[in-house]
Amino acid sequence: DAGITQSPRHKVTETGTPVTLRCHQTENHRYMYWYRQDPGHGLRLIHYSYGVKDTDKGEVSDGYSVSRSKTEDFLLTLESATSSQTSVYFCAISEQRPYEQYFGPGTRLTVT
Amino acid sequence: QKEVEQNSGPLSVPEGAIASLNCTYSDRGSQSFFWYRQYSGKSPELIMSIYSNGDKEDGRFTAQLNKASQYVSLLIRDSQPSDSATYLCAVNKGAQKLVFGQGTRLTINP
């Protein structure tokens, strides 16, 4: 998985609790991304980062926040989890060119 | 109109035949195109990238790009049961972002 790890790999949590997912890379790539994948919707971008402390929103950012304090780590936080955030979350990394993205193994999150 | 469209399938192909997967995109300014393979329960894996019109071959895989028709395809020759997976088409949207199609589920029948 191109030197990308995600933790935890599986998590079950209750509605209203905060949740943080971690993505860690050893490739020193500048760009990092968080996606969610749901049946019928495919992969959708939540947030992405183009450098340390530089982040921007994707198409489904409501209810999510991110932080990147080091090149290698990109955190995704659900401030107050809802059942609609039950999904599989993937982290990806890329360099500026040729825009190829490489994915981590994913985190399966269930909100009950 | 979706930005990237794929036939969701399932597409069923006999072993040894050619599997043809298609993708259309709406943004004429797109410059980079990718095919990912995703096995059930696994993460997407990049298998082909193509940036200019024409064909690009890598082993049993051939990517074809036609920017005038806004069309990109993936051909898999000598299909194997191990090729059974969902194939995702992705298109560069600028600002270092990709837009993904919903994927085509491919089944290779022995």
Side-chain angles (χ1 to χ4, degrees):
Chain A
D1 292 322
I4 312 169
T5 57
Q6 293 184 231
S7 58
R9 294 293 312 280
H10 301 271
K11 185 170 183 66
V12 179
T13 192
E14 293 184 349
T15 298
T17 60
V19 176
T20 295
L21 308 183
R22 179 182 185 237
C23 177
H24 178 79
Q25 61 149 329
T26 58
E27 305 295 324
N28 201 35
H29 281 12
R30 177 181 174 186
Y31 297 87
M32 299 185 75
Y33 309 81
W34 278 107
Y35 292 91
R36 61 178 290 173
Q37 188 173 40
D38 306 286
H41 292 279
L43 276 165
R44 293 181 291 173
L45 182 65
I46 305 171
H47 282 280
Y48 68 103
S49 169
Y50 47 95
V52 174
K53 292 185 171 32
D54 293 324
T55 65
D56 204 350
K57 296 179 179 180
E59 64 176 299
V60 290
S61 60
D62 287 348
Y64 301 95
S65 63
V66 290
S67 66
R68 191 171 178 197
S69 59
K70 298 185 291 185
T71 298
E72 57 267 34
D73 289 326
F74 192 31
L75 304 181
L76 177 71
T77 297
L78 292 65
E79 300 290 348
S80 177
T82 68
S83 58
S84 64
Q85 294 175 312
T86 292
S87 187
V88 179
Y89 291 86
F90 289 105
C91 173
I93 64 174
S94 77
E95 271 301 348
Q96 184 160 2
R97 288 183 182 273
Y99 307 119
E100 297 172 344
Q101 292 186 16
Y102 299 92
F103 285 81
T107 294
R108 183 172 296 276
L109 177 67
T110 302
V111 183
T112 61
Chain B
Q1 181 186 8
K2 291 181 180 178
E3 293 184 82
V4 179
E5 295 206 55
Q6 297 180 252
N7 187 324
S8 62
L11 176 64
S12 186
V13 173
E15 184 175 356
I18 296 175
S20 178
L21 304 163
N22 304 316
C23 172
T24 59
Y25 60 95
S26 60
D27 184 354
R28 283 195 170 275
S30 299
Q31 297 293 320
S32 307
F33 307 86
F34 308 93
W35 284 100
Y36 287 81
R37 178 177 62 199
Q38 187 174 24
Y39 292 115
S40 180
K42 300 296 185 181
S43 59
E45 173 193 9
L46 180 67
I47 55 172
M48 290 289 286
S49 308
I50 187 165
Y51 306 99
S52 51
N53 278 330
D55 294 359
K56 178 182 178 183
E57 187 175 317
D58 184 0
R60 296 186 295 111
F61 297 99
T62 299
Q64 300 175 317
L65 175 60
N66 184 325
K67 289 185 179 180
S69 300
Q70 296 175 244
Y71 177 95
V72 58
S73 64
L74 179 70
L75 302 178
I76 307 174
R77 291 183 300 281
D78 188 23
S79 297
Q80 303 296 309
S82 59
D83 295 325
S84 297
T86 296
Y87 289 80
L88 305 172
C89 172
V91 176
N92 173 245
K93 191 179 166 64
Q96 209 64 30
K97 293 189 288 187
L98 298 182
V99 178
F100 287 82
Q102 291 201 22
T104 297
R105 186 154 55 95
L106 174 67
T107 300
I108 307 299
N109 300 308

